Amino acid sequence: RVLNDEKWYRFTVNAAAGSYLVALLDNNTETVLIDWTETTLLHADDVNHLVVVGRGNRFHFYINGDFLTTVTDASIASGKVGIDIGFDQPNATVTVEYDNFTVYTP
């Protein structure tokens, strides 16, 4: 997610359902930029590589090396980058690993 005070962009994937969502959160108000959309690019029981490239007001999303979509939104001019994990089911047993988390600046 891209953070700026109380605003951030959220790229959410649900590998089990094979879907993704992109939203803007502004002081606890969510604006959905791309509603839940199915994709065959996600692997339910395997590693998924996610890449977000932000240039100006455009965000390009990739899953497992393949282009997914582009979002154009100028609500946040700059900010920080972070990762968070959430689970739909309580007491779920899930392994999450981060590898090669890199932020590049022009």
Side-chain angles (χ1 to χ4, degrees):
R1 62 186 185 172
V2 177
L3 306 169
N4 184 335
D5 296 323
E6 294 299 319
K7 292 183 183 181
W8 65 90
Y9 292 106
R10 186 177 75 201
F11 175 43
T12 304
V13 297
N14 183 330
S19 59
Y20 68 95
L21 172 135
V22 179
L24 167 70
L25 287 92
D26 185 353
N27 291 313
N28 297 323
T29 300
E30 180 177 80
T31 301
V32 174
L33 303 175
I34 298 178
D35 208 346
W36 284 106
T37 302
E38 290 185 12
T39 179
T40 58
L41 298 178
L42 287 164
H43 306 301
D45 296 318
D46 201 355
V47 173
N48 286 287
H49 297 272
L50 308 176
V51 174
V52 179
V53 178
R55 290 197 175 114
N57 64 351
R58 291 191 181 169
F59 298 89
H60 307 283
F61 299 88
Y62 299 82
I63 296 178
N64 296 317
D66 291 316
F67 174 75
L68 178 67
T69 191
T70 296
V71 169
T72 301
D73 186 87
S75 299
I76 302 174
S78 65
K80 302 172 187 160
V81 176
I83 297 175
D84 64 32
I85 300 292
F87 301 100
D88 292 338
Q89 299 186 14
N91 303 318
T93 302
V94 177
T95 301
V96 176
E97 296 180 19
Y98 298 99
D99 186 18
N100 297 324
F101 182 81
T102 307
V103 177
Y104 298 97
T105 58

